[in-house]
Amino acid sequence: MIRIDWDPTPHFGPIPINWYGITFVLALLVGGILVRRWAPRFQVAREHYEGLMVSIALGTIAGARLYFVVQNDFSSYVSQPWRVLAVWEGGLAFFGGLFGGILAAYVYTRRHGLPFLRMADLFAPAIPIGGAIGRITCGLDGMDYGTPTALPWGVIYENPNSFAPMDGISRHPDQFYELVGDLMIAGVLIRLRGRMPEGALFLLYLVLFSLLRFFVFFVRGNVPDVLFGLKNAQWTALAILAVALPALVTTLHRRRVTQSF
């Protein structure tokens, strides 16, 4: 078993350190550096990908927060609406951030006359890399902790400030499962970049990440089942698959038909 004694709420003198916020910013910075490096391959001007990164960052934060609020004790936020803006209290949901980032990107590309699908392909490999960075803090803090397990790589959280229960029970390191899965997805996307028709790389990301989330959430221990033994995130993953998978197949088939002529 692996024991983790990590304090998620340390202080530098009187100043509190928010590790989750730090890794969120780090993920955005790393993603931005990668996009900047890849942009010439996609023939995207600097002012456009920089403006798009700012829009995506804002859309991601807004979407992640709203998705969390709707899923978690929505009535309390209705009675205290100012708490919706209190992101420092915690509460950001990845799927909400993904939806918010996609919407922000679509609005930006439409406003500036840019090809949305090409821009989506440019950003596609950076998304799982950023997600993997965010999962580091989640795993150390005990946030989004897993279900009990007897596997040798199970984790036990020992710091009293951890977000996981202090019950001495070994749990699945589901955050690190997702981290590894994200890096594998990024590797696949980078490997296939330039070999697929426009838009297919981003659609492939949606398919692969939805599959990853669907299976990881079977061992996610801090969220309840909502219907037929599945959690909200799993139903969201299935909804994305229902749209992205047929779109991916159609895109690839259309290219095959075009090449046959």
Side-chain angles (χ1 to χ4, degrees), residues 66-252:
L66 290 175
Y67 191 91
F68 176 86
V69 167
V70 170
Q71 285 191 106
N72 296 271
D73 200 11
F74 181 68
S75 59
S76 70
Y77 286 102
V78 172
S79 61
Q80 300 175 302
W82 60 88
R83 289 185 56 223
V84 173
L85 301 177
V87 294
W88 55 87
E89 294 180 355
L92 297 173
F94 188 90
F95 270 136
L98 179 62
F99 296 148
I102 292 173
L103 178 60
Y106 181 76
V107 171
Y108 184 94
T109 53
R110 291 283 292 179
R111 183 176 298 171
H112 292 85
L114 300 172
F116 172 74
L117 292 179
R118 185 191 304 171
M119 301 301 284
D121 284 348
L122 167 60
F123 279 79
I127 301 173
I129 292 174
I133 293 172
R135 285 297 150 196
I136 296 173
T137 298
C138 285
L140 295 175
D141 287 357
M143 189 179 295
D144 300 330
Y145 55 85
T147 54
T149 181
L151 292 171
W153 55 80
V155 296
I156 298 175
Y157 292 95
E158 298 185 328
N159 193 289
N161 293 325
S162 172
F163 292 99
M166 294 294 97
D167 51 15
I169 294 177
S170 176
R171 299 178 180 278
H172 279 284
D174 60 302
Q175 312 97 324
F176 296 110
Y177 295 165
E178 189 166 320
L179 184 157
V180 173
D182 274 332
L183 293 179
M184 292 175 65
I185 291 172
V188 170
L189 297 180
I190 291 173
R191 180 82 173 176
L192 293 177
R193 187 174 51 191
R195 303 181 184 182
M196 304 179 75
E198 194 169 89
L201 201 68
F202 179 65
L203 290 171
L204 180 60
Y205 163 72
L206 293 178
V207 169
L208 294 178
F209 181 73
S210 296
L211 288 171
L212 173 64
R213 273 247 149 166
F214 180 81
F215 289 107
V216 165
F217 264 71
F218 280 114
V219 293
R220 176 66 60 84
N222 69 324
V223 287
D225 297 343
V226 293
L227 185 64
F228 301 127
L230 299 180
K231 302 173 176 65
N232 270 331
Q234 290 175 302
W235 286 110
T236 303
L238 290 176
I240 294 174
L241 277 172
V243 175
L245 185 56
L248 175 62
V249 172
T250 300
T251 301
L252 295 175

